[in-house]
Amino acid sequence: MILVLGLGIGFAAETAAQAPPGGPYADAMGWYQREAEGGNPRAQFLYGYRFEIGEGVALDAALARSWYAKAASQGERRAQYRLARLYQIGEGGAVDEPAALAWFRAAAQAGHVAAQSMIGYFYASGVAVEADPANAYLWFSLAARAGDALAAENLRRLTATLTEDQKAAGEALVKAWEPAP
């Protein structure tokens, strides 16, 4: 079975985060910094994102990781996903697949669709966790139901390899699943 791996880097960015330096949102970085330093998880995420992509600031994946970690620890699911991605690919520090799995899981439990797809990939491939077809089925199913085409394709490929018992176990997990509060 060959799974398609997508890092799903897109998200609905704030208008100010998309603005060029010196434009109508020239004060955005100052606001992000003040709010981020004050503990605002949304601002910490947006501030970290600017460092990750190098927009309006020097590219600094290590600093992005640091700000994402602060926001992620407060439950900001976009930061959890981005932090997991940086751990997975080794940007801003060493590759750390167990940490990536933990943060993808946190974001997935909170309903982050791309994170759900990534958790499916981890379980299907046995990356940082023992391969578990039923859990792979669960996570790919959740993401596919939310419209993730990559997850739908991976679910199709996975399902073609499952026994009836494995598929039934996966379907039972889907039926029992509830998002984190």
Side-chain angles (χ1 to χ4, degrees):
M1 167 179 53
I2 298 173
L3 298 176
V4 182
L5 174 62
L7 294 178
I9 61 172
F11 70 93
E14 303 299 316
T15 303
Q18 297 171 339
Y25 296 101
D27 294 331
M29 283 305 290
W31 180 87
Y32 292 152
Q33 183 176 6
R34 280 190 309 279
E35 290 297 309
E37 288 173 352
N40 179 326
R42 183 170 173 249
Q44 290 168 339
F45 163 70
L46 293 170
Y47 196 49
Y49 184 71
R50 297 294 293 257
F51 284 104
E52 182 184 357
I53 64 171
E55 186 175 292
V57 295
L59 185 68
D60 189 336
L63 198 50
R65 256 195 207 201
S66 174
W67 285 108
Y68 286 159
K70 291 174 185 181
S73 68
Q74 296 182 72
E76 170 45 79
R77 70 183 187 164
R78 296 173 300 172
Q80 292 168 338
Y81 176 80
R82 302 298 294 178
L83 179 60
R85 183 186 156 280
L86 293 180
Y87 278 128
Q88 182 185 27
I89 63 176
E91 277 190 35
V95 169
D96 187 341
E97 289 176 337
L101 174 65
W103 286 115
F104 278 136
R105 186 185 316 277
Q109 289 284 358
H112 193 286
V113 175
Q116 291 172 341
S117 185
M118 288 305 301
I119 293 293
Y121 168 77
F122 274 60
Y123 277 114
S125 303
V127 174
V129 66
E130 187 174 330
D132 182 340
N135 267 300
Y137 186 94
L138 163 67
W139 292 109
F140 284 146
S141 293
L142 294 174
R145 288 180 180 180
D148 186 312
L150 183 62
E153 175 60 20
N154 283 333
L155 178 62
R156 183 191 66 75
R157 291 177 185 202
L158 174 70
T159 302
T161 69
L162 298 179
T163 66
E164 287 302 316
D165 287 345
Q166 289 172 322
K167 185 176 178 188
E171 288 173 348
L173 289 175
V174 171
K175 185 176 180 181
W177 187 80
E178 293 185 24

